[in-house]
Amino acid sequence: MRSNLPRLIPRGPTLLALGVMLGLIFPTLAELARPLMPAAIFLIVLGTLLRIDMIAVVAVIRRPSLSVFLPCVAMIACPILAGIAAHLIGLAPELALALVLASSVPPSSGTAAVARMLGLDGAVPLVVTLLSMALAPLTIPLLASWSGGLSVAPLDLALRLALLIGGAEGVALILRRHAAAALAAHGAAVDGITVAALLVFALATMAGMRSQIENDPQAAIICLALAFACNLGMQLGGVLVLPGSLRERLAVGLILGNRNVGLVWSALGTAATPRMALYFAATQLPIYIMPRLLEALLARSRKDCPVTGISGRAMSIEGNADDTI
């Protein structure tokens, strides 16, 4: 089984899109995966933390545009812009709050792994994700309070987020301290486990979504349209916000567009209303479908004009699975 995990990495974009589709087509499968959502989130965050290469991290931290500007854009500017847009288009308060919350969470913990699947450098998504996680317990409750309508006290939400993130950080610290050699030797297996956890999470997020779509198709269409518009808008903004090669800008787009909505979803628990949960579930569709489209775009760009990744290494989607970030 362990030897098969690295094989998931190059097939990751297809598997993630497949997970969403399976959850919609087979609701029973999604319901079976639903109780595993918190564990999947924990594994995704843990897998991200275990794949830290301090040399690559330090190289990115030395670039303020990536280590300071980009996390602030992701954690502060994006949710504020989302809140303003929600007000301008006249969204219902409940949906507007869901939009702000989904835009205020850190980049998806699997973004670094997805970037590697696509042949992009995973160091930048990894560093921005880590720095955003450090900001999350502070910025998310403040932005939720600014948006209004949340039934959970900001301090309570901050503590839940700190516990979830801090728990994964604690386990990662222990493992890196006592099993560093094993982690270095089996880095591809860690990525494979992360992809498997992403697949389980994709399935779990579709639990109940098919019935909600059937019962209130208009609400489902609105949530899906908003989710895709928000994701694509942020990815486009990411492509334009910083200069660099196409691969650099696509990586930034992934960072801003694909968010770890499961983090705030898990922290909210029962405080997430059915409409909020519907929107949170809808956000998973572009997160898991877009990498497959980007894979096709990058494959075409490689065919037309081979390029080198932002780390200076030429990488393909089927690249060296033992490369650690």
Side-chain angles (χ1 to χ4, degrees):
M1 175 65 179
R2 187 180 67 183
S3 62
N4 290 329
L5 287 173
R7 298 179 185 177
L8 294 176
I9 298 170
R11 299 176 178 85
T14 301
L15 286 173
L16 299 182
L18 181 63
V20 171
M21 295 300 104
L22 285 176
L24 287 174
I25 297 170
F26 303 105
T28 303
L29 193 59
E31 291 294 341
L32 289 173
R34 189 172 196 170
L36 300 175
M37 183 187 289
I41 287 292
F42 185 86
L43 285 175
I44 293 166
V45 175
L46 179 61
T48 301
L49 296 171
L50 290 176
R51 292 293 273 149
I52 297 173
D53 177 354
M54 291 310 300
I55 296 176
V57 167
V58 170
V60 175
I61 288 177
R62 287 177 177 171
R63 300 173 62 183
S65 62
L66 300 177
S67 62
V68 178
F69 176 71
L70 199 51
C72 289
V73 168
M75 299 299 290
I76 300 172
C78 284
I80 289 176
L81 290 174
I84 293 172
H87 175 72
L88 290 176
I89 63 178
L91 284 183
E94 188 179 24
L95 198 50
L97 175 59
L99 186 67
V100 170
L101 286 174
S103 303
S104 68
V105 293
S108 171
S109 299
T111 299
V114 170
R116 283 192 293 272
M117 294 174 205
L118 296 171
L120 305 175
D121 191 338
V124 174
L126 178 60
V127 172
V128 175
T129 297
L130 293 174
L131 294 174
S132 298
M133 284 182 184
L135 292 173
L138 175 65
T139 57
I140 294 175
L142 289 176
L143 288 163
S145 179
W146 166 72
S147 184
L150 189 64
S151 60
V152 177
L155 181 59
D156 188 21
L157 179 57
L159 290 174
R160 294 183 189 182
L161 289 167
L163 181 63
L164 183 58
I165 296 171
E169 289 176 344
V171 173
L173 183 63
I174 292 171
L175 289 174
R176 290 179 66 86
R177 188 181 187 92
H178 298 287
L183 290 173
H186 302 288
V190 174
D191 273 350
I193 291 171
T194 302
V195 174
L198 283 165
L199 180 59
V200 171
F201 179 72
L203 275 171
T205 56
M206 295 300 105
M209 191 172 181
R210 178 170 167 176
S211 63
Q212 289 199 56
I213 292 173
E214 292 172 346
N215 294 333
D216 194 347
Q218 183 177 3
I221 291 172
I222 290 173
C223 286
L224 285 171
L226 279 173
F228 272 94
C230 188
N231 186 291
L232 292 174
M234 289 186 183
Q235 290 215 37
L236 180 59
V239 169
L240 299 175
V241 73
L242 290 175
S245 67
L246 174 62
R247 289 175 176 273
E248 287 180 301
R249 291 183 281 119
L250 285 175
V252 173
L254 280 175
I255 290 168
L256 296 185
N258 292 353
R259 302 302 187 99
N260 192 356
V261 179
L263 190 65
V264 74
W265 197 349
S266 299
L268 287 174
T270 56
T273 65
R275 184 58 56 87
M276 292 172 66
L278 178 61
Y279 179 74
F280 290 160
T283 63
Q284 304 310 301
L285 290 170
I287 287 175
Y288 291 113
I289 290 174
M290 285 304 297
R292 187 65 185 89
L293 299 179
L294 283 174
E295 183 182 41
L297 174 64
L298 288 168
R300 181 174 180 179
S301 72
R302 272 196 302 273
K303 182 178 179 181
D304 294 340
C305 181
V307 295
T308 299
I310 63 177
S311 65
R313 297 187 305 261
M315 294 181 66
S316 67
I317 295 173
E318 297 79 17
N320 187 354
D322 293 327
D323 240 2
T324 58
I325 298 297

